[in-house]
Amino acid sequence: MLNKPGHKKRWQLLYAVAIVASLGLGVVLGAQQFSAASTLAVAQLLPAPKTLPEFTLENHRSEAVGVNVFRHRWSLVFFGFTSCPDFCPLELQKLAKLLNLMGAGDELQVVFVSVDPERDGSEKLANYVGFFHPQILGLRGSNLATANFSQFFGAAYDRSAIVESKLITIPAGINLPTNVGEQYQVNHSTRVFVVNPQGEFIGSFASPYEVEEMLSDMQKLMGR
């Protein structure tokens, strides 16, 4: 059956209205994102969100977890190790204070990813993150899995040790030589990475910053 001219024109009009509406929504959402970014104190947003890849790590309760651990809540991701003498405990104190100030409940979690799997077993990791705040989630994995996960965020790390009077560097993703023992240093990124409830990496915080600055930025990003 042939379409009548009037019928065709009505469909063309509806299609045009739908296009204009979708473009208008895109402009509004883009303007909101630009507005939030332009008023942030210390957070640095990416030009476009990056969807987290599939991965398998282990939480501090010895449970296998994947990308779903980042769904339906905001996350602040920090890479470090439990034997860190200075920066990691200071950073986790700041992030714990932020959680208390936010009063976020299930809306926000801090994720501490160990880059020292040889020394950071599940029990040790659980005791460490639990000391700072119950809403801090500890993650660990093999050297290769940890390196792949950290590389997605651009979080660099390596280990250095003295073996037979020589300083050696063990890159991320490589197992420690058996003759290293437990006396080695871990060098790691100090950024805190932001993941939204859709499981997208959207930006980061670089030290130094004040907790109040991060609080203000997270409230804006979360629309609070």
Side-chain angles (χ1 to χ4, degrees):
M1 181 176 67
L2 294 176
N3 290 328
K4 296 180 180 179
H7 182 75
K8 183 175 181 180
K9 286 182 180 180
R10 283 196 297 273
W11 275 109
Q12 288 175 336
L13 178 60
L14 289 173
Y15 181 75
V17 169
I19 292 295
V20 171
S22 64
L23 288 174
L25 178 61
V27 169
V28 170
L29 294 177
Q32 289 176 342
Q33 183 176 3
F34 177 79
S35 177
S38 64
T39 60
L40 296 177
V42 288
Q44 301 170 0
L45 297 186
L46 299 178
K50 291 176 59 179
T51 301
L52 267 65
E54 293 295 330
F55 67 89
T56 301
L57 293 172
E58 181 182 273
N59 67 19
H60 62 261
R61 294 179 289 273
S62 300
E63 301 164 336
V65 299
V67 71
N68 282 341
V69 78
F70 291 100
R71 304 285 189 191
H72 311 303
R73 63 178 65 84
W74 287 85
S75 301
L76 295 172
V77 185
F78 179 64
F79 293 83
F81 63 113
T82 66
S83 302
C84 183
D86 42 38
F87 192 84
C88 291
L90 292 174
E91 196 67 22
L92 288 175
Q93 285 177 9
K94 284 186 175 182
L95 294 172
K97 181 179 179 180
L98 172 72
L99 288 171
N100 289 331
L101 291 173
M102 289 287 292
D106 292 333
E107 292 180 76
L108 177 66
Q109 66 179 351
V110 170
V111 181
F112 177 78
V113 185
S114 172
V115 293
D116 188 12
E118 282 85 359
R119 291 184 295 197
D120 289 347
S122 297
E123 183 177 355
K124 186 176 182 181
L125 188 58
N127 291 334
Y128 187 73
V129 297
F131 173 80
F132 294 99
H133 200 282
Q135 281 174 255
I136 298 179
L137 174 69
L139 295 183
R140 65 180 302 278
S142 67
N143 278 303
L144 182 58
T146 304
N148 288 338
F149 189 64
S150 67
Q151 186 178 36
F152 168 79
F153 291 97
Y157 72 93
D158 60 32
R159 281 80 61 81
S160 57
I162 296 177
V163 178
E164 297 178 355
S165 301
K166 294 181 180 179
L167 179 65
I168 64 170
T169 298
I170 302 97
I174 304 299
N175 293 335
L176 288 172
T178 56
N179 59 344
V180 167
E182 291 197 355
Q183 302 304 313
Y184 56 88
Q185 179 61 44
V186 181
N187 315 296
H188 62 90
S189 167
T190 59
R191 281 184 177 267
V192 177
F193 303 96
V194 184
V195 178
N196 68 20
Q198 289 73 49
E200 298 171 327
F201 167 36
I202 66 165
S204 63
F205 293 91
S207 292
Y209 59 82
E210 299 297 327
V211 175
E212 291 72 20
E213 293 175 319
M214 180 182 276
L215 172 65
S216 173
D217 285 355
M218 288 306 301
Q219 287 175 329
K220 290 173 183 175
L221 289 171
M222 295 170 68
R224 300 184 70 186

